[in-house]
Each structure stands twice: as structure tokens, then as C-alpha cells.
Amino acid sequence: MIFGSEWASVGVLIFAVLGSSYAILAFAHVRIDNCDMKELARLRAEGVLPERVELIGDFVKIHRKLDEIAPAVYLRQEFWIQLYFQVLRLAHAMEWHTGFVERELMKLSAYQANHYRTALIRMERLQNPAL
């Protein structure tokens, strides 16, 4: 107990959770800010993603495809990606700052697309070690 009070302890705990959540979301925002958006267009051209842009559907499709091959190439999925996606998905459903949320969802999909490309390159190297 802090200062001999349960309320103070609960208050500090709530403040710590809110501070940690903010730090994780700020970290996620900074990480995806400079991602290569060309990879999404490349995946659309290859037919991996549909021609029509689906903000939430694109991320889910890339995430599923990445989950299929990630263990084979030892590509670790960061926990903050799914957390940030869920927060953005909730904000999109509640229609908060839709322009910002849509840009962030697009950037997050592009970030995952870059991870998917890395996984495909590693898979190719495993299948063809002479290259």
C-alpha cells in the first residue's frame, strides 16, 4: 500500500497502466511512421491483396499470411502490432478522427507488408540456398 491507503495504491496502478499504454502506442506510431508504402502496391499487383483497398481487411490478410510462414523463417511478431491494430480498429469503429485512423491503418498494413516481404525473402533463401 502506498501512503497506507488502498485508494492511493489503485490510483498509482491506474496511472502506471495509462502511462505504459500511452508509451506503447506512441512507440507503435513512431515505428510505422516511415514505412515503405510501395510494398502494399506490390502486393496488390501480385494478387496477394485485392485491388480495392480495405483498411482492416488488408492488415488481417497480411497478418494471416505472415503467421503461416513466420515460424519457418524465425520472424518474430512484435506484440505491439496487434495491440495498435486493435486500438485503431476500435477508433475506426467509433469513427474518431477517421482521417488519422485511416492513415495509421494504412501505414500499419504497409509495415506488415514489409515484414511479409522479409519473410518471403528468407523463405526463398531456405528453399534455394545457392542463391
Side-chain angles (χ1 to χ4, degrees):
M1 290 208 300
I2 298 175
F3 303 122
S5 170
E6 288 183 29
W7 289 106
S9 299
V10 170
V12 168
L13 179 64
I14 290 171
F15 182 72
V17 167
L18 289 175
S20 298
S21 299
Y22 174 77
I24 291 170
L25 296 177
F27 172 78
H29 172 73
V30 169
R31 286 291 303 233
I32 67 169
D33 200 32
N34 295 324
C35 62
D36 183 16
M37 298 297 282
K38 295 175 187 173
E39 193 59 42
L40 276 177
R42 199 173 300 139
L43 289 178
R44 287 190 204 298
E46 292 174 0
V48 175
L49 293 176
E51 290 293 322
R52 198 179 65 126
V53 175
E54 300 173 8
L55 295 174
I56 294 173
D58 289 348
F59 177 84
V60 170
K61 287 175 187 168
I62 296 169
H63 190 72
R64 283 187 188 142
K65 290 194 170 291
L66 193 52
D67 276 346
E68 291 173 0
I69 62 173
V73 295
Y74 193 68
L75 185 66
R76 182 178 53 89
Q77 290 286 303
E78 296 98 342
F79 79 95
W80 58 266
I81 292 175
Q82 196 65 26
L83 175 67
Y84 196 51
F85 172 69
Q86 294 302 332
V87 169
L88 290 174
R89 189 176 186 177
L90 177 66
H92 188 263
M94 298 178 86
E95 298 180 3
W96 291 345
H97 306 288
T98 55
F100 172 76
V101 171
E102 289 174 358
R103 278 192 309 275
E104 290 297 299
L105 281 168
M106 187 71 75
K107 288 179 187 178
L108 191 59
S109 294
Y111 186 83
Q112 279 294 84
N114 287 318
H115 275 279
Y116 182 64
R117 178 63 60 192
T118 301
L120 288 177
I121 290 169
R122 288 181 182 177
M123 184 68 88
E124 180 71 26
R125 287 181 184 159
L126 283 174
Q127 292 173 344
N128 300 317
L131 296 177

